[in-house]
Amino acid sequence: MTPNNHLSPIGRYRRVLVASGLLVCVGLTMFVVQAIGSHPDRAWRAYLINFLLWSAMAQGGLLFSTVMHITKARWSGVMAGVAESFAAFFPVSFILFLLLFIGKGHIFPWLHQDLHGKEVWLNVPFLFGRNTVALCALYVTGFGYLYHALGLKLGTFLPTESIRGWFYRTWYREAVDIQKRRDVMTVWSVLYMLFFALTLSLMGYDFVMSMDPHWYSTLFGAYNFVKAFYVGLGGVIILSAALKLFSPAAIEIEARHFHDIGKLFFGFCLVWADFFYCQFVVIWYGNIPEETAYVIDRIIAAPYQPLAWVVFSICFIGPFIILLNKRVKTMPVAMIAICAVIIVGLWLEHLLLIGPAMVHGQDATLPVGMTEGIISLGFLGLMVISVSSFLHQFPELVLFKGRLPGEKDHLS
């Protein structure tokens, strides 16, 4: 690989960086103005929703690559490498998580409630302690997998950039046993998938379900990590399509790749809806007051009833109808639009789950507007900066073609 090829996937890197930096500055300004002004609750609610959504996208994106590796599926082509670039958001996600501690008084409505014995679990030190450990385990295993994935794809030209140079020297400081490295990579991928399920379940319980501390669902953890993979697939499709549109000669992604990942995306659209239905129907038929109140507030009562139908329509009904068409799944522009709408729908789904507990029924209007939109754009800017910077350092993720060294032929 030559230095020119090194820059080819993201030749518009500087412009992307400047535009994303502006989004971050605008989003940060809006958050600070609201947080120190008269609406701190609104600012921290938007912060929490965006932290959960964008972290889930990064976590679910890398999960796609680990699944492709474990199953020895090569149909994804370089999309598996594209998915690995989302790990660049992990450090940002961890910092954003630690900053949540500052707004604990605004994001945990149970702080001033009688928890009837649940104080053992729902207390701030223990909550942040266990989630810190869980996120560290998830991100360390994710970087362990990424380290070996990058090493097996690393180009041969002399590295000059600091991060790339450090990685190059670390990987080649001793003779590389390809098969051994692949075996270790497999171990890291299994650990990542395990911690993905555990961490996303825990965060779903602690940062979403606990907003109503007297309501619980044993299915909520699984619902949360299925949703994370759903939104992660959407992020991978958008990034792959954008790279294909802006660098068609450099990126080897074909219509069949979009079609295959589109089928997987369609499948998890159904899985997400199935988990939603499984929770809903059991609560509805059980008709236990402390359980049905949660559903009534979010699906039947104003002002959230219209929002519930919007979320269900754009996260399930719309994608179900549209993605039945094979041709649509092979069109990058169409898939960008579909996935972007679904990600917005999942943002609104977080609002639907969290909003009623944080607003306490004091407002007859939906707690969403320009403030939430601008703060969300700031988080989008952070994601774009992280991913584009990482791809700029390691273009092999999207330029790599063929099997990894030492990989045996496998029918997928």
Side-chain angles (χ1 to χ4, degrees):
M1 184 178 293
T2 66
N4 288 335
N5 286 336
H6 170 57
L7 297 176
S8 60
I10 44 175
R12 300 171 178 83
Y13 170 67
R14 290 184 178 179
R15 280 177 286 176
V16 169
L17 212 60
V18 170
S20 301
L22 289 174
L23 289 179
V24 173
C25 291
V26 172
L28 178 61
T29 301
M30 177 61 76
F31 172 77
V32 172
V33 169
Q34 293 292 331
I36 65 177
S38 57
H39 299 93
D41 291 345
R42 187 172 180 180
W44 282 106
R45 180 175 62 241
Y47 184 101
L48 174 61
I49 292 173
N50 281 286
F51 161 72
L52 293 172
L53 179 73
W54 296 103
S55 297
M57 181 182 295
Q59 296 153 356
L62 184 61
L63 182 69
F64 173 73
S65 178
T66 63
V67 170
M68 294 299 100
H69 173 73
I70 285 292
T71 58
K72 296 183 174 64
R74 297 200 310 274
W75 57 260
S76 61
V78 297
M79 282 186 175
V82 172
E84 290 160 14
S85 66
F86 281 92
F89 190 73
F90 286 177
V92 178
S93 170
F94 190 73
I95 294 172
L96 293 172
F97 163 74
L98 295 178
L99 292 176
L100 278 172
F101 186 82
I102 300 174
K104 60 184 182 298
H106 301 288
I107 62 177
F108 297 128
W110 45 261
L111 280 176
H112 309 294
Q113 296 182 19
D114 183 2
L115 298 178
H116 304 294
K118 295 181 180 179
E119 296 86 353
V120 176
W121 181 263
L122 291 180
N123 62 82
V124 172
F126 185 33
L127 185 147
F128 275 92
R130 62 178 178 263
N131 281 277
T132 298
V133 172
L135 279 176
C136 284
L138 178 66
Y139 290 162
V140 167
T141 53
F143 280 127
Y145 171 81
L146 180 65
Y147 174 80
H148 289 83
L150 277 174
L152 295 173
K153 299 172 183 175
L154 194 65
T156 57
F157 70 90
L158 181 65
T160 56
E161 295 83 4
S162 57
I163 298 177
R164 185 181 179 86
W166 170 87
F167 183 88
Y168 192 92
R169 292 188 297 272
T170 303
W171 180 260
Y172 287 109
R173 65 186 174 189
E174 59 184 25
V176 177
D177 185 334
I178 297 298
Q179 188 55 48
K180 182 179 178 181
R181 294 289 178 94
R182 279 188 53 77
D183 293 340
V184 174
M185 180 179 171
T186 300
V187 173
W188 282 116
S189 64
V190 172
L191 290 174
Y192 180 79
M193 289 189 285
L194 173 63
F195 284 116
F196 177 86
L198 294 176
T199 302
L200 269 295
S201 296
L202 179 64
M203 295 190 70
Y205 291 135
D206 286 346
F207 291 100
V208 182
M209 194 176 77
S210 72
M211 295 300 170
D212 280 279
H214 303 298
W215 179 85
Y216 62 90
S217 167
T218 55
L219 191 62
F220 201 85
Y223 173 77
N224 199 59
F225 69 71
V226 163
K227 178 172 61 178
F229 193 35
Y230 186 25
V231 72
L233 288 172
V236 172
I237 293 171
I238 289 176
L239 181 55
S240 300
L243 289 169
K244 180 62 178 177
L245 290 173
F246 292 117
S247 302
I251 310 300
E252 193 178 71
I253 302 179
E254 302 173 7
R256 62 184 178 88
H257 295 128
F258 286 108
H259 178 248
D260 289 338
I261 197 173
K263 290 189 291 185
L264 184 62
F265 188 61
F266 174 74
F268 271 85
C269 167
L270 299 178
V271 174
W272 174 83
D274 181 61
F275 274 62
F276 178 87
Y277 173 77
C278 288
Q279 287 190 108
F280 173 77
V281 73
V282 171
I283 294 171
W284 187 262
Y285 277 101
N287 200 27
I288 301 174
E290 57 266 30
E291 292 185 355
T292 55
Y294 185 91
V295 175
I296 291 171
D297 286 344
R298 288 158 178 79
I299 296 180
I300 298 176
Y304 291 94
Q305 184 185 34
L307 179 62
W309 281 107
V310 169
V311 168
F312 192 68
S313 297
I314 64 179
C315 292
F316 172 64
I317 297 177
F320 177 81
I321 296 173
I322 295 172
L323 293 177
L324 284 173
N325 186 289
K326 176 181 178 179
R327 187 167 179 269
V328 170
K329 293 195 285 285
T330 63
M331 301 166 60
V333 175
M335 291 304 293
I336 287 177
I338 294 167
C339 293
V341 170
I342 291 173
I343 290 170
V344 171
L346 291 172
W347 191 102
L348 294 173
E349 186 256 10
H350 279 86
L351 177 65
L352 182 67
L353 296 175
I354 293 173
M358 298 184 75
V359 177
H360 306 294
Q362 298 173 1
D363 196 341
T365 60
L366 283 174
V368 61
M370 185 180 295
T371 296
E372 288 74 15
I374 294 176
I375 293 175
S376 299
L377 290 177
F379 277 81
L380 170 62
L382 287 174
M383 175 64 81
V384 174
I385 289 173
S386 302
V387 171
S388 60
S389 299
F390 195 75
L391 288 177
H392 186 66
Q393 291 288 327
F394 298 101
E396 290 88 356
L397 290 177
V398 294
L399 293 176
F400 182 80
K401 301 173 184 179
R403 295 192 297 272
L404 292 175
E407 185 178 16
K408 296 179 181 179
D409 192 18
H410 182 84
L411 294 176
S412 57

